[in-house]
Amino acid sequence: MKRDWIATARTLSEALPYLQRYDGAIVVIKFGGNAMGDDEAMESFARDIVLMKQCRLQPVLVHGGGPMINTMLDRLAIPTEFKGGRRVTTPDVMEVVEMVLSGSVNKRIVQAINAQGGKAVGLSGKDANLMICDRLPGPGGEDIGLVGNPKKINPAVLKSFLDSDFIPVVAPLGVGEHGETYNVNGDTAAGAIAAAMHADRFLLLTDVAGVKDKDGDVITHLTADHVRKLTEDGTISGGMIPKTETALAALEGGTRAVVILDGRTPHACLLELFTEHGAGSLIRL
Ligand SMILES: Nc1ncnc2c1ncn2[C@@H]1O[C@H](COP(=O)(O)OP(=O)(O)O)[C@@H](O)[C@H]1O
Ligand SMILES: CC(=O)N[C@@H](CCC(=O)OP(=O)(O)O)C(=O)O
């Protein structure tokens, strides 16, 4: 099956003449820690983002950085654990999470984009009250600390950056009603932003080629009902469950389509957006 919006070409070079058609399309991209790779991969990713911007698409990046947080916690000998896919976030852990996400990870991405001629601006969900959160309990209702559940997104700051030709790069931190800082799962944060922005596409970059069927083949097109069935019968499991749940929530919130794809594939985003065959699993309601 073919992609149906900007999918007019069989190859990337064939697609170039068509690019200007997609003037203004908002593409929210979740760039996870496992998808980031080495400096060369980061440079290639940054070049693709700048190209998208030059083609008048409007990329909004929301990044993760779980592995980088783990490394820093390890260096500081602070123990860490996950419950239901969320990091139990004590005040000590929160300090490190903010330092790593808003500091080194965010600035590495901003720097990589700017080195390719883009105008990236780094911010977190705390800036301009972008992501207001309340506290997310653990899977059994237990306390898992300062983990945020986005309850209100104020996308005005992102829109003003897009209007001024900047590329926003968002670290997944949130702010509580009383000014407290929350640690938000990167997928969750990106999904909430994609919904609030009514994104044309929400690309979830991960470390598998897409949602796979029982035989291990990537399913290129999925509906929300199909996703629910695959989850019920156990085909979708583990880390893919929160990812597809995030995808469905983003669709229900107003995103046009979500794609789960392998961020380590060179030019993954461009292949998905600008070729007929796409590059992962496209999910619609
Ligand atoms: N049906 C499925 N299709 C693809 N991956 C699946 C499926 N079910 C479970 N998974 C697992 O989900 C993982 C992706 O989730 P996760 O590791 O949390 O990604 P990330 O670190 O990018 O957030 C895959 O590496 C794979 O092991
Ligand atoms: C609450 C929670 O778990 N937050 C995540 C935030 C980073 C993240 O989501 O990073 P990846 O996308 O690279 O996994 C964490 O502390 O690891």
Side-chain angles (χ1 to χ4, degrees), residues 27-191:
V27 182
V28 173
I29 301 167
K30 156 69 197 322
F31 193 32
N34 285 320
M36 274 172 211
D38 59 13
D39 285 349
E40 202 182 321
M42 178 67 84
E43 190 183 315
S44 167
F45 174 79
R47 207 179 304 125
D48 291 354
I49 297 296
V50 172
L51 179 69
M52 282 167 63
K53 190 74 178 176
Q54 286 165 342
C55 295
R56 302 180 62 87
L57 276 85
Q58 304 197 83
V60 175
L61 298 190
V62 182
H63 63 84
M68 296 77 179
I69 297 168
N70 290 341
T71 303
M72 185 56 79
L73 287 170
D74 205 35
R75 275 169 63 183
L76 296 169
I78 300 173
T80 189
E81 62 167 327
F82 283 80
K83 283 193 182 160
R86 264 77 184 182
R87 188 186 305 276
V88 177
T89 307
T90 61
D92 279 357
V93 169
M94 189 66 246
E95 211 178 316
V96 176
V97 168
E98 184 165 29
M99 182 173 88
V100 171
L101 291 182
S102 263
S104 53
V105 176
N106 188 276
K107 297 313 153 204
R108 181 177 173 222
I109 300 167
V110 165
Q111 161 63 23
I113 292 171
N114 292 347
Q116 296 304 318
K119 290 194 288 179
V121 179
L123 70 165
S124 83
K126 289 168 74 174
D127 290 272
N129 289 326
L130 169 59
M131 191 156 49
I132 311 274
C133 291
D134 49 21
R135 207 181 252 246
L136 185 76
E142 73 275 38
D143 181 21
I144 51 169
L146 296 161
V147 175
N149 180 33
K151 68 169 185 192
K152 188 172 189 316
I153 302 291
N154 296 304
V157 64
L158 298 180
K159 288 189 175 142
S160 72
F161 282 141
L162 294 180
D163 290 344
S164 325
D165 230 24
F166 294 109
I167 300 170
V169 179
V170 184
L173 302 168
V175 61
E177 293 288 1
H178 306 290
E180 60 278 39
T181 303
Y182 282 117
N183 178 15
V184 184
N185 170 271
D187 292 349
T188 309

Side-chain angles (χ1 to χ4, degrees), residues 84-86 187 206 230-231 234-245:
R86 264 77 184 182
D187 292 349
T206 180
L230 292 173
T231 309
T235 308
I236 290 176
S237 62
M240 195 47 75
I241 295 177
K243 234 170 258 307
T244 46
E245 278 175 356

Side-chain angles (χ1 to χ4, degrees), residues 255-274:
T255 302
R256 268 179 70 195
V258 182
V259 186
I260 297 179
L261 68 168
D262 191 343
R264 300 162 313 165
T265 305
H267 312 301
C269 296
L270 298 187
L271 286 167
E272 169 50 39
L273 294 172
F274 300 134

Side-chain angles (χ1 to χ4, degrees), residues 197-232:
M197 300 284 289
H198 296 288
D200 295 282
R201 282 293 183 276
F202 171 30
L203 307 184
L204 266 164
L205 302 184
T206 180
D207 59 357
V208 277
V211 180
K212 295 179 179 169
D213 62 19
K214 279 209 173 335
D215 299 325
D217 295 323
V218 172
I219 310 168
T220 57
H221 288 72
L222 287 151
T223 60
D225 280 345
H226 194 180
V227 168
R228 287 186 201 105
K229 281 194 193 100
L230 292 173
T231 309
E232 272 164 31

